[in-house]
Amino acid sequence: MEYRIGFIGAGKMVNHIVNGLLKDSGMQHNILVTGRNLAKLEKFKADKAVEVSTDYGRLSECDIIINGVSSDQILGVFSEVKEHTRKDAVHISIAAGVTISEMETILPDRKIIRNMPNIAVSVQEGVMVMSANKHLAEADRQLTDDIFSKVGTVAWVEESLMKYTPALTGSSPTYGFLMIEAMADQAVSVGFPRQQAYMLAAQAIIGAAKLVLETEAHPGVLKDQITTSGGSTIQGVMELENQGFRNSVIQAMKAINNANGK
């Protein structure tokens, strides 16, 4: 199926999404990136060889429009580009904290998706959690699934859950990065080379995640398969519990939820 995706803005998350999409052969010709800053767009184009333009009128060519500007700018930008977009186009926001109803004040009767991606879309292992308004047709949803499944896992939820999504998927790669860094630091302290320590720690986390996804076993069941009676692993688990590991993760997620608000 032929389609065109128009991005507004060339910021960090747009960069990650486009990087992931471009790993699929043929996607380069489906992408248009628009914005006001020509120098920034030219730099973006040099890295990726996609089409860029400062002319928002080009968005009329696009079936899907992804607004990648910051939360405080998104409604103003939607208002600015509205006249340049087709009525059958799907408008997607990746800005945290901007509700569908707020977007509908600018785009009434338009198809709107609220989307929370994460950084791993750039390596096609991301998560995109989405919620839509009543105007989105099943065919639009299928097209969106087909496109974004190229960069990771797609999940549709009720909008009431979107305010909790950054803590679960959007910000959570940071928890993994901190854990990998901590594991590598300890390994370096006993003699492992730094890059090898990062690689081994990262692969261990990837393996744990794949076991959960592919076996669909409860994480606790998988943990019990490693923690033999009287063994060293259970001693490590007990120390994590003594240090409040799980509670620290829960409290971090609560803090992110409180910061996001809506």
Side-chain angles (χ1 to χ4, degrees):
M1 179 180 179
E2 293 294 324
Y3 58 84
R4 191 113 164 108
I5 308 170
F7 289 87
I8 303 172
K12 291 180 180 179
M13 189 52 71
V14 169
N15 181 62
H16 290 304
I17 295 171
V18 173
N19 279 341
L21 290 173
L22 289 178
K23 292 183 186 301
D24 188 275
S25 61
M27 281 299 297
Q28 176 183 342
H29 304 293
N30 294 27
I31 295 171
L32 169 69
V33 180
T34 66
R36 298 188 183 96
N37 188 325
L38 180 59
K40 189 172 184 178
L41 289 173
E42 289 294 338
K43 182 179 179 181
F44 194 95
K45 179 179 180 179
D47 291 342
K48 299 173 180 59
V50 295
E51 190 174 2
V52 300
S53 177
T54 56
D55 179 10
Y56 284 148
R58 296 287 308 281
L59 292 172
S60 63
E61 304 169 11
C62 299
D63 305 283
I64 293 178
I65 296 160
I66 301 176
N67 196 331
V69 303
S70 60
S71 298
D72 61 331
Q73 297 178 327
I74 193 164
L75 296 180
V77 171
F78 269 138
S79 181
E80 184 177 351
V81 305
K82 176 184 175 181
E83 64 178 292
H84 302 297
T85 62
R86 304 198 313 260
K87 290 189 176 180
D88 64 342
V90 176
H91 294 267
I92 300 177
S93 162
I94 59 173
V98 180
T99 66
I100 288 174
S101 62
E102 287 175 318
M103 289 184 272
E104 286 179 330
T105 63
I106 308 298
L107 300 167
D109 303 322
R110 298 291 186 97
K111 303 168 183 178
I112 295 174
I113 295 175
R114 184 176 172 183
N115 182 343
M116 174 52 58
N118 74 9
I119 191 174
V121 294
S122 63
V123 291
Q124 297 182 309
E125 291 292 347
V127 179
M128 282 198 165
V129 180
M130 296 187 281
S131 183
N133 71 354
K134 64 182 181 180
H135 301 300
L136 194 77
E138 185 56 36
D140 301 315
R141 187 183 294 251
Q142 186 59 58
L143 176 60
T144 306
D145 281 345
D146 291 346
I147 293 170
F148 290 136
S149 63
K150 298 177 186 295
V151 297
T153 297
V154 176
W156 294 88
V157 301
E158 294 296 323
E159 193 189 7
S160 60
L161 293 176
M162 289 299 293
K163 64 182 178 181
Y164 304 118
T165 299
L168 180 61
T169 63
S171 301
S172 57
T174 307
Y175 319 153
F177 298 148
L178 287 171
M179 186 170 180
I180 290 166
E181 185 179 33
M183 291 168 66
D185 281 348
Q186 200 285 328
V188 169
S189 77
V190 298
F192 282 87
R194 170 65 66 181
Q195 285 307 121
Q196 185 181 53
Y198 283 143
M199 181 270 291
L200 294 173
Q203 184 57 51
I205 299 299
I206 290 172
K210 288 194 75 171
L211 277 168
V212 171
L213 292 173
E214 293 188 11
T215 66
E216 297 186 355
H218 189 286
V221 171
L222 296 172
K223 178 206 71 178
D224 288 350
Q225 292 177 8
I226 308 172
T227 51
T228 56
S229 179
S232 59
T233 303
I234 192 62
Q235 303 305 317
V237 170
M238 291 175 67
E239 185 58 27
L240 287 174
E241 294 290 1
N242 288 338
Q243 297 297 325
F245 177 74
R246 284 194 283 190
N247 185 58
S248 293
V249 173
I250 291 169
Q251 295 307 315
M253 292 178 69
K254 286 183 177 179
I256 293 168
N257 289 336
N258 291 336
N260 281 315
K262 61 184 178 181

